[in-house]
Amino acid sequence: AQTVTQSQPEMSVQEAETVTLSCTYDTSESDYYLFWYKQPPSRQMILVIRQEAYKQQNATENRFSVNFQKAAKSFSLKISDSQLGDAAMYFCAYRTGNTNAGKSTFGDGTTLTVKP
Amino acid sequence: NAGVTQTPKFRILKIGQSMTLQCTQDMNHNYMYWYRQDPGMGLKLIYYSVGAGITDKGEVPNGYNVSRSTTEDFPLRLELAAPSQTSVYFCASSYSMGVGQETQYFGPGTRLLVL
């Protein structure tokens, strides 16, 4: 079974600065997808960024980028130019590439505080 | 598109009562999921469905039932509610194949309190 570990229960960053959230995972599969979701106080889960395991290039979405280290099974999220609206809980998630499985595994989350 | 919608947003149940959490998606997704999120924790998969008429258990299915009679709807049934089922419940959906099949779209959640 796959596991996803987020070792930082809480992180804080000053507005306009950069912060990196850590995520490691364990799998024996070679084909899979990784995601970062944001959950603001409204509780809705919002997709931030996704990474296909077969791609070597790190995914980027505006101020959000990942550092995907497949051999180390590491998938960190970097938020640049942090904004007050970035304050939320962030979840790392793993999804198998087996299309018949249809399941994701989530980490326990990292609460990000942005200080003005 | 409304995306994934859930009703109700909040509900209080007494121990032993039953209820159905509704989930509907209008994106013609084959895959649908139910998760629960306990305070300060990540999401745990309760049940999922890969298409109408097909459902399967996730990590924490005990105390719940699901059905999938249509592509759009995936209700979650709680029988004999227990305090341990106090949680926030999320419904999600995704495509089954092709580009984007790996991305799940979440509903806004249903907060359930069992007293």
Side-chain angles (χ1 to χ4, degrees):
Chain A
Q2 293 79 27
T3 59
V4 176
T5 302
Q6 293 179 247
S7 59
Q8 307 154 315
E10 298 178 351
M11 291 284 285
S12 67
V13 62
Q14 206 71 30
E15 193 176 6
E17 295 192 343
T18 296
V19 65
T20 298
L21 308 184
S22 301
C23 173
T24 58
Y25 59 95
D26 187 26
T27 184
S28 58
E29 297 178 330
S30 59
D31 183 20
Y32 53 88
Y33 303 90
L34 296 164
F35 306 86
W36 279 99
Y37 287 92
K38 171 185 177 182
Q39 187 180 45
S42 66
R43 288 206 174 104
Q44 185 152 11
M45 297 287 283
I46 302 165
L47 179 66
V48 174
I49 199 165
R50 73 178 187 218
Q51 174 80 43
E52 293 88 341
Y54 62 85
K55 289 188 177 179
Q56 291 186 332
Q57 187 173 5
N58 290 325
T60 299
E61 287 287 343
N62 300 315
R63 298 183 295 107
F64 299 88
S65 61
V66 298
N67 184 5
F68 175 47
Q69 302 289 328
K70 191 172 183 178
K73 295 179 182 175
S74 171
F75 182 60
S76 60
L77 175 69
K78 185 171 83 171
I79 306 174
S80 304
D81 186 25
S82 297
Q83 301 176 358
L84 295 177
D86 294 334
M89 198 158 185
Y90 287 80
F91 291 94
C92 178
Y94 170 102
R95 181 182 170 115
T96 180
N98 179 350
T99 57
N100 291 326
K103 294 182 284 187
S104 292
T105 302
F106 287 79
D108 285 338
T110 296
T111 300
L112 178 66
T113 302
V114 181
K115 299 177 181 178
Chain B
N1 285 356
V4 180
T5 57
Q6 293 181 239
T7 56
K9 290 183 180 179
F10 176 64
R11 182 77 180 267
I12 299 175
L13 280 183
K14 293 183 179 179
I15 294 172
Q17 286 185 322
S18 61
M19 76 165 292
T20 300
L21 282 67
Q22 301 292 344
C23 175
T24 300
Q25 54 89 11
D26 62 358
M27 296 174 282
N28 202 30
H29 287 170
N30 280 357
Y31 284 14
M32 295 187 75
Y33 317 82
W34 275 106
Y35 294 91
R36 61 176 285 173
Q37 183 182 28
D38 298 330
M41 303 293 286
L43 282 76
K44 301 294 184 185
L45 183 66
I46 305 171
Y47 270 96
Y48 70 101
S49 169
V50 299
I54 306 168
T55 63
D56 206 350
K57 296 178 181 179
E59 299 175 71
V60 290
N62 292 345
Y64 307 94
N65 277 301
V66 294
S67 60
R68 185 95 182 273
S69 57
T70 67
T71 299
E72 295 78 17
D73 300 309
F74 190 41
L76 177 71
R77 178 81 177 165
L78 277 74
E79 304 283 1
L80 298 174
S84 61
Q85 294 178 305
T86 293
S87 191
V88 179
Y89 291 83
F90 288 96
C91 179
S93 69
S94 67
Y95 291 107
S96 60
M97 60 181 66
V99 175
Q101 63 91 12
E102 73 286 354
T103 301
Q104 294 187 26
Y105 298 81
F106 283 83
T110 292
R111 184 172 169 229
L112 178 66
L113 182 61
V114 182
L115 299 175

